[in-house]
Amino acid sequence: MTRDQYVKAWSNACQSEVFIGTLTLTRFEADTIRAGIHIYLESQFAAVKAFGGKPTRTLDQFKAEACTCAARKLAARGGDLRKPPANDKVTAAVRSCTESIRMLAK
């Protein structure tokens, strides 16, 4: 699997929370994605809207951005991309990518 294929497969699995296809996520990856990307961004998005803010993009666009960012960070680790990344790498990638888009509205 090439890095580009890995990024696309991981990002797609992350966005859809589906664990089938060319890449099967580990339970840890799935749980980290759910809590660190989906739930976190959903709550941030709702808070921005609740306080009258205007998000610059849709929630799905923010999720896609965070998933692709995390996938790129995980692909950069090198080695055999068919093997799951270490749990600490997943946590670090998800945290870094969600924090970079914390501000949903300008």
Side-chain angles (χ1 to χ4, degrees):
M1 177 179 284
T2 68
R3 282 196 169 131
D4 288 342
Q5 290 170 325
Y6 179 86
V7 168
K8 183 175 174 112
W10 202 94
S11 181
N12 286 342
C14 172
Q15 290 174 58
S16 66
E17 296 183 83
V18 173
F19 317 112
I20 58 173
T22 59
L23 183 72
T24 300
L25 301 177
T26 65
R27 176 55 41 204
F28 184 85
E29 287 174 289
D31 290 346
T32 303
I33 288 166
R34 181 78 186 126
I37 292 179
H38 291 273
I39 293 172
Y40 176 81
L41 289 178
E42 287 165 5
S43 66
Q44 292 295 311
F45 195 81
V48 167
K49 291 183 85 170
F51 288 102
K54 298 199 186 292
T56 56
R57 288 171 282 163
T58 68
L59 179 57
D60 286 341
Q61 288 171 320
F62 285 114
K63 287 180 182 179
E65 179 183 334
C67 287
T68 301
C69 172
R72 285 188 183 124
K73 287 181 182 290
L74 293 172
R77 75 184 192 275
D80 186 353
L81 295 176
R82 292 171 294 177
K83 292 183 179 178
N87 291 352
D88 63 330
K89 300 287 186 199
V90 174
T91 301
V94 166
R95 182 174 294 135
S96 170
C97 292
T98 53
E99 287 175 357
S100 70
I101 59 173
R102 189 176 341 165
M103 296 300 295
L104 300 180
K106 293 182 178 182

